[in-house]
Amino acid sequence: MSKLGIFDLSVRYGKLTAVNNISFTVAEGERVFISGPNGAGKSSLLAAIAGEVRAAHGRIEMDGDILSGRVPEAIARRGLSMVPEGRRIFRALSVQENLMVGVGLRRDKTAVPDDLEAIYAAFPILGTRRHANAGALSGGQQQMLAIGRALMTNPKLMLVDEPSLGLAPRVVDEVYDRLCSLQAQRGLTLVIVEQSSARAGRVGGRMLLLRGGQIVADGDAASFAADDLLKEAYFGKAAP
Amino acid sequence: MTLQLVFDALSLGGIYAIAALGIALIFGVMKLVNFAHGQFIAFAVFALIVPSTDAVAVMGLGAAPALVLVPALLAVGAGLAVASEYLVFRPLRNVSPVALMVASFALGVVIQNALLVIYGGRPKAISLWPELGKPVRLLGAEVPMLQIMVICAVLLVLALLAIMLKRSRVGLEMRAAAEDFGMARLLGVRANAVIAGAFALSGALAATVALVLVAQTGVADVRMGGQIMLIAFIATVVGGMGSLPGAVAAGFAIGAVSVALQAVLPIEARPFRDAFLYGLVILVLLLRPQGLFASASAKPRV
Ligand SMILES: Nc1ncnc2c1ncn2[C@@H]1O[C@H](COP(=O)(O)OP(=O)(O)OP(=O)(O)O)[C@@H](O)[C@H]1O
Ligand SMILES: [Mg+2]
């Protein structure tokens, strides 16, 4: 059984169709990049999976359970966690309070202190600044906080929307480095929206190419990186 | 004389602060200005007496010893607020903020009319804890015992609320939800529980205001929530919508300014005290339209 199954999913905002009849599955432990131009529907796809926007049509399954139609807090309880576009840090809360917001859904409360230390070990800067206001962190630190905050819910499946947005390349390297090692440690399944196919190719994994709300390609990220398909996805069929 | 003014300012400002907190708490999590808050206060006042349209009030719950009365009345306020949320605001969860606000007006009218039908329209004299009227000597001034009790009660309520928000699980979830409700839900925070919690707290704060008002004025009047609701609403706007410390600070500030105006205005200008007060409020809002303490969620995200 696949970890995540998307079947004929559509998302609409009024008349505008952001996701148009998409189907794909993600296996347990897999790392899937979703790439595509601005407005392709990447964030809408993630938002529908997490229950933040209602699907106009179709079915979403996790471990064979139907997610579509459930409220976000119920989906989070099933082990799905989201690192959203723009990070959406609670700026008025301290770093540690941000990390603790999502532990309310956990049944293994006794494991929380160890998990918190594990996050601080993976992102030492968060440990150093644990009592600082989250709004005072730099962009890269906020991205790490958003990832740590999602991990504190002890998810099995994590959706990450454009973790590299607005960060210096060196910081992006660091973020992906941590994401990959945390994935290996915890046996996580990762779905990552990443605009840069070169980046996705270097990190490695599967890649889905989205355009106009539809999947136009599905394959290995590394072999995609150089491919013409990408240019086509971004710019349409180029004139010869 | 001056010390007496300080006590007046603290006790009046304290009531405004508690009333403003009741509004700011709900606005924080739901972006709803609950105009029924004044009627929550009136409802809690009338919960003290036996239902009847007779001119003479007979104490019901109000006759109970304070150790029973206070928690019971807080529960009545919380219960009314939670019931209102469940019956009125929850079905309207996805409508526009303006529609929500109109619904809160309507709810206030319904509660007020229910009170009118059950208790009649005339104000009733009721006496709650008359022994608190005795003055005590404090720092060389004669201060009514009641005023000291009110100030202590206000400080206690503020401290308990601050501890709850800062230290408890539900407090953390409320603060997170106040900043970004959608994000909190993505992290598993239950929307219904947080909103019901905010309403319960707000209702308990309304009951606190009711107790103080009755003890101070000795009157139960269907209209008594309206005036304080107006000032509390102004305090939440001046403090910065959604900012709890802002609501408290502005509540105390408005109390202090009205006591000061009462003291310094010439006798013939005193009837216009509120005009001066609201003039000052307008001035503050002209200088700082976002309120004295803009809440974190009101700031643009980077
Ligand atoms: N809340 C919304 N209301 C209305 N339209 C929306 C909303 N969110 C997104 N859209 C529209 O839906 C389409 C897909 O947007 P979406 O954010 O999913 O794309 P994206 O691939 O994530 O783009 P980006 O790379 O810019 O993040 C766009 O045309 C966008 O304008
Ligand atoms: Mg996006």
Side-chain angles (χ1 to χ4, degrees):
Chain A
M1 190 198 321
S2 54
K3 190 73 199 169
L4 178 69
I6 310 289
F7 306 98
D8 303 325
L9 180 75
S10 294
V11 175
R12 292 198 190 98
Y13 304 105
K15 284 211 179 80
L16 182 127
T17 300
V19 174
N20 191 359
N21 224 32
I22 279 185
S23 300
F24 66 93
T25 59
V26 177
E28 174 135 25
E30 209 180 357
R31 173 157 62 234
V32 179
F33 287 99
I34 297 179
S35 198
N38 292 102
K42 306 178 297 290
S43 298
S44 302
L45 172 62
L46 293 203
I49 298 171
E52 217 187 5
V53 302
R54 202 166 272 279
H57 176 258
R59 195 168 84 252
I60 302 165
E61 289 182 4
M62 184 173 165
D63 301 318
D65 285 346
I66 293 182
L67 294 188
S68 22
R70 295 185 196 277
V71 292
E73 54 263 47
I75 293 173
R77 278 183 162 67
R78 285 168 191 272
L80 184 148
S81 200
M82 168 87 122
V83 182
E85 188 169 34
R87 315 187 243 281
R88 291 168 70 176
I89 289 300
F90 302 111
R91 304 173 65 88
L93 271 52
S94 73
V95 167
Q96 182 148 318
E97 285 173 337
N98 267 276
L99 292 172
M100 295 301 285
V101 170
V103 308
L105 58 76
R106 290 177 62 159
R107 294 208 197 85
D108 58 337
K109 293 276 194 306
T110 48
V112 168
D114 284 349
D115 261 21
L116 194 61
E117 288 314 313
I119 298 292
Y120 289 147
F123 303 110
I125 186 66
L126 298 183
T128 321
R129 309 205 56 188
R130 64 180 78 186
H131 299 300
N133 249 8
L137 297 183
S138 72
Q141 293 165 353
Q142 289 191 12
Q143 189 61 59
M144 293 171 195
L145 179 56
I147 293 169
R149 183 179 64 176
L151 286 168
M152 283 303 290
T153 65
N154 196 21
K156 301 288 169 282
L157 168 62
M158 199 157 95
L159 313 178
V160 188
D161 198 343
E162 299 213 39
S164 45
L165 197 72
L167 303 187
R170 196 184 40 77
V171 183
V172 180
D173 287 342
E174 197 182 334
V175 167
Y176 271 112
D177 183 62
R178 294 310 140 69
L179 262 180
C180 293
S181 58
L182 285 161
Q183 175 176 31
Q185 276 167 32
R186 296 169 174 237
L188 268 174
T189 308
L190 277 182
V191 176
I192 307 171
V193 171
E194 173 57 68
Q195 286 251 20
S196 157
S197 54
R199 167 72 61 184
R202 252 177 290 142
V203 176
R206 180 178 152 206
M207 183 150 105
L208 297 178
L209 214 50
L210 233 64
R211 188 181 161 210
Q214 289 180 310
I215 297 179
V216 293
D218 178 349
D220 181 54
S223 59
F224 262 16
D227 206 317
D228 283 344
L229 256 176
L230 267 175
K231 292 186 196 98
E232 239 181 72
Y234 277 90
F235 307 113
K237 277 222 189 328
Chain B
M1 170 64 194
T2 36
L3 196 64
Q4 177 59 51
L5 285 181
V6 171
F7 277 97
D8 285 348
L10 279 178
S11 58
L12 186 65
I15 301 167
Y16 291 163
I18 301 261
L21 264 182
I23 294 166
L25 261 176
I26 291 182
F27 184 85
V29 299
M30 271 192 90
K31 309 298 167 239
L32 158 71
V33 179
N34 177 25
F35 280 100
H37 196 71
Q39 282 70 45
F40 286 4
I41 294 172
F43 185 95
V45 167
F46 279 91
L48 291 167
I49 57 184
V50 176
S52 122
T53 51
D54 294 347
V56 181
V58 179
M59 279 296 206
L61 180 57
L67 268 182
V68 177
L69 191 166
V70 174
L73 200 70
L74 294 186
V76 166
L80 174 70
V82 170
S84 303
E85 192 275 315
Y86 189 79
L87 295 173
V88 179
F89 298 115
R90 189 168 300 188
L92 298 175
R93 192 70 63 78
N94 296 317
V95 305
S96 73
V98 176
L100 263 185
M101 196 178 77
V102 172
S104 82
F105 264 117
L107 172 65
V109 171
V110 168
I111 295 174
Q112 177 153 351
N113 281 290
L115 291 176
L116 280 172
V117 169
I118 299 170
Y119 293 96
R122 268 166 299 169
K124 301 175 192 216
I126 57 177
S127 126
L128 182 70
W129 304 323
E131 63 281 6
L132 291 183
K134 289 194 208 99
V136 289
R137 290 200 67 77
L138 193 81
L139 306 170
E142 295 249 310
V143 184
M145 188 63 197
L146 178 63
Q147 223 170 31
I148 296 171
M149 294 288 288
V150 167
I151 294 168
C152 292
V154 165
L155 295 180
L156 181 71
V157 166
L158 292 182
L160 286 177
L161 192 69
I163 290 171
M164 197 233 59
L165 284 171
K166 204 73 195 163
R167 299 255 175 266
S168 74
R169 171 97 232 138
V170 56
L172 175 62
E173 294 186 349
M174 266 182 207
R175 284 185 294 140
E179 205 173 324
D180 185 341
F181 213 133
M183 188 63 233
R185 295 183 75 182
L186 287 172
L187 292 165
V189 171
R190 289 193 168 100
N192 287 342
V194 167
I195 291 175
F199 268 89
L201 275 177
S202 176
L205 290 171
T208 309
V209 173
L211 271 177
V212 172
L213 280 184
V214 168
Q216 281 182 338
T217 61
V219 175
D221 183 343
V222 176
R223 286 161 289 271
M224 66 200 295
Q227 168 74 7
I228 195 157
M229 165 67 208
L230 178 64
I231 295 188
F233 172 58
I234 290 170
T236 54
V237 174
V238 169
M241 289 307 297
S243 161
L244 301 184
V248 172
F252 275 109
I254 292 178
V257 170
S258 38
V259 168
L261 284 174
Q262 186 72 27
V264 300
L265 286 180
I267 293 281
E268 54 275 20
R270 280 188 198 168
F272 306 106
R273 184 194 65 178
D274 287 358
F276 285 95
L277 183 65
Y278 294 142
L280 264 177
V281 166
I282 291 170
L283 196 66
V284 167
L285 290 180
L286 281 176
L287 294 175
R288 268 187 79 84
Q290 74 276 41
L292 293 174
F293 303 71
S295 70
S297 52
K299 281 184 219 142
R301 255 185 223 109
V302 184

